[in-house]
């Protein structure tokens, strides 16, 4: 699933967006959401890959609770996305590259904060090198 998220990140890069991709699967492994960053394209600061994929998953499952789902994303969710993941009750979050400057978990601890009513299982570093290469390549090309 992370390979599919990476393909979404590459789509974002091709569109001039920060290359982040996200895939959400249900308990049976069916894809219920798949997206990439679209903030520039849509002129919408909330159109992060995770937010778009979450909206797709809500529609696909007909529920605002995404229990028994796994969210794969190439870069650690920001605070906005981490908050939405908690509210959606996603069971598991897997990311490639951590964001030590702005990460919703690494910096702010949102996904494991004792004050939230849901704490997803977190796994980091899956296909980290590949995820990092897409990000670095994008920013190198922009310089």
């Amino acid at each position: 699933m992370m390979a599919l998220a990476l393909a979404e990140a590459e789509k974002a890069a091709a569109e001039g967006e920060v290359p982040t991709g996200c895939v959400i699967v249900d308990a049976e492994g069916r894809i219920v959401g798949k997206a990439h960053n679209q903030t520039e394209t849509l002129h919408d600061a909330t159109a992060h890959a995770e937010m778009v994929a979450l909206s797709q998953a809500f529609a696909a499952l007909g529920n605002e609770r995404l229990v028994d789902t796994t969210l794969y994303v190439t870069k650690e969710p920001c605070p906005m996305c981490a908050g939405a993941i908690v509210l959606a009750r996603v069971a598991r979050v897997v990311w490639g590259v951590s964001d030590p400057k702005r990460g919703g978990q690494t910096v702010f601890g949102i996904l494991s904060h004792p004050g939230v009513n849901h704490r997803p299982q977190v796994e980091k570093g899956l296909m980290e090198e590949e995820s990092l290469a897409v990000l670095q390549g994008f920013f190198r090309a922009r310089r």
Side-chain angles (χ1 to χ4, degrees):
M1 290 304 152
M2 187 59 86
L4 293 175
L6 273 165
E8 287 293 318
E10 290 170 358
K11 286 182 192 176
E15 295 172 9
E17 301 276 359
V18 173
T20 302
C22 180
V23 173
I24 303 173
V25 298
D26 67 10
E28 287 78 39
R30 293 181 300 232
I31 296 171
V32 294
K34 180 173 74 166
H36 56 276
N37 276 359
Q38 298 176 54
T39 58
E40 301 287 330
T41 303
L42 298 176
H43 306 291
D44 180 349
T46 68
H48 290 194
E50 300 95 310
M51 299 297 282
V52 176
L54 285 167
S55 291
Q56 291 173 1
F58 297 140
L61 297 175
N63 199 325
E64 73 280 6
R65 303 283 190 255
L66 303 180
V67 296
D68 297 326
T69 60
T70 299
L71 183 148
Y72 295 88
V73 64
T74 56
K75 187 174 76 57
E76 178 182 359
C78 73
M80 172 185 67
C81 295
I85 288 165
V86 168
L87 292 173
R89 306 234 186 347
V90 171
R92 183 171 158 237
V93 179
V94 180
W95 69 74
V97 177
S98 293
D99 186 348
K101 292 184 181 179
R102 294 170 289 283
Q105 179 59 25
T106 302
V107 177
F108 299 99
I110 293 169
L111 300 174
S112 63
H113 194 280
V116 298
N117 60 350
H118 173 75
R119 291 174 209 87
Q121 176 187 355
V122 171
E123 296 176 35
K124 52 189 173 183
L126 181 63
M127 297 184 74
E128 182 175 17
E129 290 179 21
E130 296 90 338
S131 298
L132 184 59
V134 172
L135 282 164
Q136 288 176 334
F138 174 78
F139 286 110
R140 245 186 241 118
R142 288 185 62 123
R143 289 187 196 126

